[in-house]
Amino acid sequence: DAGVTQSPTHLIKTRGQHVTLRCSPISGHKSVSWYQQVLGQGPQFIFQYYEKEERGRGNFPDRFSARQFPNYSSELNVNALLLGDSALYLCASTPGVSDYGYTFGSGTRLTVV
Amino acid sequence: GNSVTQMEGPVTLSEEAFLTINCTYTATGYPSLFWYVQYPGEGLQLLLKATKADDKGSNKGFEATYRKETTSFHLEKGSVQVSDSAVYFCALRTANRDDKIIFGKGTRLHILP
């Protein structure tokens, strides 16, 4: 079985632009979460979705948004990019809410110049 | 609020040395505790977990015991290898509705041959 897949793996954007990151969970997993990992820090929670509904939101500005599709894949959107948005964006999936087994993807490395 | 504090790195050891990476947590209720490992250029991999007090998680020679009385979850390995060089993250997961994982800042481990 494929693990959690994220695309693209790397991208470079200019300040003020918009970006869309994509995540496909493990087959059968209905919950997807997004995390931001700035260099040298631990991942920070951005969003969790379960059955296409937002279940949780971290302390991020409204420029960050996400959604989950009927096939449980997910998109993370960031508008008006700032230099400080440069980070590794990680997606994680679980079979359902409050399951213990989070599986992470390899992430998307976003660089804002 | 909920938080995780782990020892700062980098930690440099010789091969076959004993490893301890300290981790303490602050949480309401009864969180699940985790250690994740991140190899260079990769996403996070779950190393081990413990879901209740006195549980011992173990994997690949690594162990950690959930100590509620000291709110700790220290990672140990009896004999490290060069291939263990990575960044290790201690984390907790609450049973709240948003079901997020809270990570420590990570400890970089270097093993010298």
Side-chain angles (χ1 to χ4, degrees):
Chain A
D1 280 343
V4 177
T5 57
Q6 294 187 240
S7 62
T9 55
H10 298 81
L11 76 165
I12 299 173
K13 290 286 189 178
T14 304
R15 277 178 297 176
Q17 284 189 315
H18 162 271
V19 69
T20 298
L21 310 181
R22 295 177 174 84
C23 171
S24 293
I26 290 174
S27 178
H29 284 198
K30 299 181 178 180
S31 176
V32 170
S33 299
W34 288 95
Y35 288 78
Q36 181 196 63
Q37 186 181 12
V38 173
L39 194 63
Q41 299 293 318
Q44 297 291 315
F45 173 74
I46 310 175
F47 288 108
Q48 187 196 38
Y49 277 78
Y50 176 70
E51 291 278 16
K52 297 174 289 180
E53 290 190 3
E54 182 183 302
R55 298 279 294 189
R57 171 186 285 255
N59 188 24
F60 281 81
D62 292 343
R63 299 184 295 107
F64 288 76
S65 63
R67 55 180 176 169
Q68 187 177 31
F69 298 99
N71 65 354
Y72 304 114
S73 66
S74 178
E75 285 183 352
L76 175 69
N77 295 283
V78 186
N79 292 324
L81 285 166
L82 303 174
L83 295 180
D85 295 331
S86 295
L88 179 67
Y89 288 85
L90 295 164
C91 174
S93 76
T94 61
V97 177
S98 296
D99 287 307
Y100 303 123
Y102 265 65
T103 302
F104 282 84
S106 297
T108 294
R109 172 74 62 188
L110 171 66
T111 302
V112 182
V113 298
Chain B
N2 300 320
S3 66
V4 174
T5 302
Q6 60 183 105
M7 62 188 291
E8 293 195 18
V11 174
T12 302
L13 296 172
S14 297
E15 203 166 24
E16 300 183 0
F18 184 85
L19 168 71
T20 300
I21 300 178
N22 290 335
C23 171
T24 56
Y25 68 90
T26 301
T28 54
Y30 301 94
S32 296
L33 302 175
F34 306 88
W35 278 98
Y36 282 85
V37 58
Q38 188 172 38
Y39 296 101
E42 298 185 13
L44 296 171
Q45 297 179 26
L46 177 64
L47 180 60
L48 53 83
K49 68 179 188 290
T51 59
K52 61 183 186 297
D54 299 325
D55 267 2
K56 177 185 284 187
S58 61
N59 185 28
K60 300 181 181 180
F62 291 90
E63 293 183 341
T65 301
Y66 189 144
R67 300 288 189 199
K68 189 167 177 60
E69 64 275 14
T70 54
T71 62
S72 65
F73 193 54
H74 305 320
L75 182 68
E76 297 182 336
K77 186 174 185 182
S79 177
V80 293
Q81 306 300 314
V82 172
S83 58
D84 294 326
S85 298
V87 181
Y88 291 81
F89 293 93
C90 184
L92 67 83
R93 179 174 180 177
T94 66
N96 298 335
R97 187 177 184 274
D98 63 14
D99 196 36
K100 63 187 178 185
I101 296 180
I102 297 169
F103 289 87
K105 292 185 176 181
T107 302
R108 183 172 297 279
L109 175 65
H110 292 291
I111 306 300
L112 303 175

